[in-house]
Amino acid sequence: MRIFDSFTGTNRDQAATVIQRHGAFTRLWHWVNAACLLVLLMSGLQIFNAHPALYWGKDSSFANPALSIRAATGDDGEWRGITQVGPYRFDTTGVLGVSGPDEARERRAFPAWATLPGPRWLSAGRGWHFLAAWVFVPMLLAYLAYLVLSGQLRRRLLPRRQEWRTLGQSFYDHLRLRFPRGEQARHYNLLQKLAYLLVLFVVMPLVVLTGLTMSPTMDAAWPWLLDLFGGRQSARTIHFLCALALVIFFLIHIVLVLVSGVANNLRSMITGRYRLPPGLPASEEVLSDEQQK
């Protein structure tokens, strides 16, 4: 039954406390944002495939890209996928550069299953990208305004001075997959707060601003964007790195949802109702306190 309790995030032997964890606007934003980011990522990879290289500065220095994903002929005469990061080269055949079944290998940076649409269709990829962006950007601005004006930013996300002393312990607990229980589960821990603040107020705004910098129309209207990021090619590279950071955040988020109680976490993000995991027995609480000293 421990496996079932881990899946649901509850303990049936103890009375559970149910709280309202997420408001309606937060839940709506979460799911709309998740759909937009998925479309933005897959269509962005389609756009990247049209020129699978990244550079620093104002111009495309084709001889020395910061990153490139391409196909090259191997010693055996077969196409090999080569991913190059600075001076380092990696054979990524089957995943990046060259992918698909053995009898129908295709030369493309990212495989068809990861791009939207699957075939090589740059104009459609750009269309999907801009469509999702027109939903994502207003929703992001609205959510950031909601956090500030409602006081949620101050109450739920800004770390308090005494919390900084728990940073090491919080990191250690996450590595051991040990999550807050009882009353502690009502609030985000320090690592959660820092991750959400970084994503909401740094990574996502950077994605938007660097995306605007790649537009010649926006550069003409706001030329300071080019100065801010050191050129259109630098903005494109930062845009790609921020997208990679969001993917890493998303994967970690999914893993933590799985191991801390799938049903309980999903219910809280669909209905808002969250069942607090019961606190540890007194003997275990004492042991935990001793371990932290």
Side-chain angles (χ1 to χ4, degrees):
M1 291 295 98
R2 286 180 179 270
I3 296 177
F4 176 81
D5 293 339
S6 176
F7 178 82
T8 59
T10 62
N11 187 330
R12 295 180 299 169
D13 296 332
Q14 300 185 30
T17 301
V18 178
I19 63 173
Q20 189 71 15
R21 191 175 201 185
H22 300 294
F25 182 67
T26 297
R27 302 197 305 273
L28 173 66
W29 180 83
H30 176 274
W31 293 113
V32 173
N33 186 59
C36 286
L37 286 175
L38 181 61
V39 173
L40 285 167
L41 173 66
M42 296 183 69
S43 59
L45 296 182
Q46 179 74 274
I47 297 170
F48 178 86
N49 275 358
H51 183 70
L54 298 173
Y55 314 90
W56 289 108
K58 300 178 180 180
D59 304 314
S60 303
S61 53
F62 294 95
N64 298 298
L67 177 144
S68 66
I69 304 173
R70 58 188 177 85
T73 306
D75 295 335
D76 55 0
E78 299 292 331
W79 286 106
R80 311 297 299 175
I82 303 297
T83 298
Q84 184 168 348
V85 182
Y88 303 101
R89 292 161 52 98
F90 307 93
D91 188 327
T92 52
T93 304
V95 181
L96 302 176
V98 175
S99 57
D102 292 337
E103 65 277 8
R105 289 290 195 188
E106 187 176 10
R107 289 175 287 162
R108 53 186 294 155
F110 286 94
W113 59 263
T115 63
L116 181 70
R120 300 186 184 186
W121 194 355
L122 176 59
S123 61
R126 288 170 63 88
W128 278 105
H129 204 70
F130 294 147
L131 174 63
W134 276 110
V135 179
F136 171 75
V137 174
M139 288 291 289
L140 174 62
L141 295 176
Y143 187 64
L144 294 181
Y146 164 74
L147 287 177
V148 175
L149 297 177
S150 67
Q152 293 286 338
L153 175 64
R154 175 180 54 82
R155 292 194 301 269
R156 303 191 65 184
L157 291 181
L158 289 182
R160 292 171 173 78
R161 182 180 304 175
Q162 63 272 20
E163 287 184 285
W164 290 102
R165 289 176 290 185
T166 68
L167 178 60
Q169 183 63 41
S170 180
F171 184 74
Y172 181 56
D173 287 341
H174 272 74
L175 288 178
R176 296 188 300 162
L177 301 180
R178 182 177 182 139
F179 304 104
R181 307 185 67 84
E183 288 301 308
Q184 289 185 344
R186 287 181 179 269
H187 314 287
Y188 293 135
N189 59 53
L190 181 58
L191 284 184
Q192 287 176 308
K193 290 181 178 182
L194 294 178
Y196 290 141
L197 286 172
L198 181 64
V199 168
L200 288 172
F201 290 93
V202 179
V203 178
M204 286 186 176
L206 273 177
V207 164
V208 174
L209 290 174
T210 53
L212 293 175
T213 306
M214 287 185 281
S215 166
T217 301
M218 293 306 304
D219 291 341
W222 296 347
W224 54 269
L225 284 172
L226 288 172
D227 296 329
L228 179 64
F229 294 107
R232 187 175 290 112
Q233 293 304 322
S234 291
R236 184 170 181 259
T237 300
I238 295 172
H239 193 77
F240 184 89
L241 293 176
C242 286
L244 178 61
L246 287 175
V247 170
I248 294 173
F249 171 82
F250 174 78
L251 293 176
I252 294 175
H253 178 68
I254 292 299
V255 170
L256 292 179
V257 166
L258 291 175
V259 299
S260 63
V262 181
N264 198 26
N265 285 308
L266 282 179
R267 181 174 57 247
S268 72
M269 196 49 75
I270 295 174
T271 68
R273 294 166 62 83
Y274 180 77
R275 191 183 298 266
L276 287 178
L280 296 171
S283 60
E284 292 188 38
E285 288 182 349
V286 171
L287 178 60
S288 179
D289 290 342
E290 290 297 325
Q291 289 176 335
Q292 295 182 30
K293 291 182 180 179

